[in-house]
Amino acid sequence: MINRIEELEKIKSLKDMGSITETEFEIEKQKILNSEVNNQSRTEGIFIASLILGICSLLFGIIPILGLILSIVSLIICIISKRKLKVIKQKNGMVTAGIILTIIGLVLALIVTIILPIGTVVLVNDSSPKEVKIPNVVGLSVEQAKEEIEKANLQFEMEKEEYNSDVDKGYVISQYPIYEKRFNKVKENSTISVIVSKGFQKVIVPNVKGKQKENAIKLIEDKDLKVQIIEEKNKTVKEGYVISQEIEANTEVNAGDIIVIHISI
């Protein structure tokens, strides 16, 4: 504003001295006044932009990233507007309101874009199951195995009982997942299944020679024995039928023993 007054006084002095005509004076004066109006319009536009951007920052602050970018742009415009006010020594309510709204929007955008996701990740990590070591319960009694498994914050499950000549009755024959020294961790509350021994018992091996495969398997398993199948080609025995068995029929064996049978293919 001061510069414009000085310029007007300067061209008036030139007119008074006769350096320029009245017409030239009026033209130059109009240029100076128009320039002042244009500058005021641009300045006013920046002030309005400060307010509008401040409002947008507040409205879009809840949108991650977009709200943060908009708030930063708004803050830059508000700083420019504040400096212009300082130069022209004026106050403007739109700029002040824009700064306040921008700060609120920026805080909101920071919470939504940065703080809230970090908190969510931490919460998810805290709520996810922890990894715990698998106890080795093979050879333990059912009661001991259950106690060890539950003590490790795991679920105990007895999958089945079967005869076993090497493991006493009521003791664990095997477990799943198996215990390994290097890789022996599972998620907390996972289930550990165990197979428990029914002890020692003598049974008679059934005669399955010439039987159809499924029938042979059932006859053997009904005697609490296990089956191992070996398939081989045979010209005299029909496909899918037992060629021979490695332990002869009517032999006394331990329950849980494996009976190997040869099937024709």
Side-chain angles (χ1 to χ4, degrees), residues 33-85:
L33 292 174
N34 287 340
S35 176
E36 176 67 20
V37 170
N38 290 335
N39 285 338
Q40 286 181 349
S41 298
R42 284 195 294 271
T43 303
E44 191 71 20
I46 293 175
F47 296 160
I48 294 170
S50 299
L51 179 61
I52 293 172
L53 284 171
I55 294 170
C56 291
S57 297
L58 186 60
L59 292 175
F60 293 99
I62 58 172
I63 302 175
I65 301 175
L66 176 62
L68 187 61
I69 293 170
L70 191 59
S71 296
I72 292 170
V73 172
S74 178
L75 188 62
I76 292 169
I77 298 298
C78 286
I79 290 170
I80 293 170
S81 300
K82 194 72 176 175
R83 286 181 178 176
K84 281 189 174 290
L85 286 173

Side-chain angles (χ1 to χ4, degrees), residues 81-212:
S81 300
K82 194 72 176 175
R83 286 181 178 176
K84 281 189 174 290
L85 286 173
K86 190 175 181 181
V87 170
I88 62 177
K89 297 180 179 178
Q90 289 184 8
K91 292 183 180 180
N92 189 292
M94 288 188 293
V95 176
T96 304
I99 290 171
I100 294 169
L101 292 172
T102 296
I103 291 171
I104 296 171
L106 182 60
V107 171
L108 186 61
L110 285 170
I111 292 171
V112 173
T113 305
I114 299 172
I115 299 172
L116 194 59
I118 291 173
T120 304
V121 170
V122 171
L123 185 62
V124 168
N125 288 337
D126 286 344
S127 60
S128 60
K130 296 177 183 177
E131 286 194 335
V132 295
K133 289 184 178 181
I134 303 170
N136 182 13
V137 297
V138 174
L140 299 181
S141 67
V142 175
E143 294 76 16
Q144 290 173 323
K146 187 173 186 294
E147 183 181 345
E148 288 297 317
I149 288 169
E150 291 179 349
K151 192 165 65 176
N153 291 327
L154 297 167
Q155 301 294 320
F156 171 85
E157 177 187 65
M158 186 165 71
E159 184 181 334
K160 63 179 179 178
E161 291 181 286
E162 60 182 44
Y163 287 105
N164 190 292
S165 57
D166 298 319
V167 180
D168 291 338
K169 182 179 180 180
Y171 284 76
V172 177
I173 301 168
S174 63
Q175 67 179 77
Y176 183 82
I178 62 173
Y179 171 82
E180 293 183 64
K181 287 185 178 180
R182 290 182 62 189
F183 309 103
N184 68 329
K185 286 188 176 182
V186 291
K187 296 291 185 184
E188 198 174 35
N189 290 319
S190 296
T191 299
I192 306 297
S193 301
V194 300
I195 296 175
V196 178
S197 174
K198 290 169 70 174
F200 174 82
Q201 179 174 301
K202 291 289 184 180
V203 295
I204 302 298
V205 177
N207 183 12
V208 296
K209 188 176 178 181
K211 302 286 185 185
Q212 198 267 343

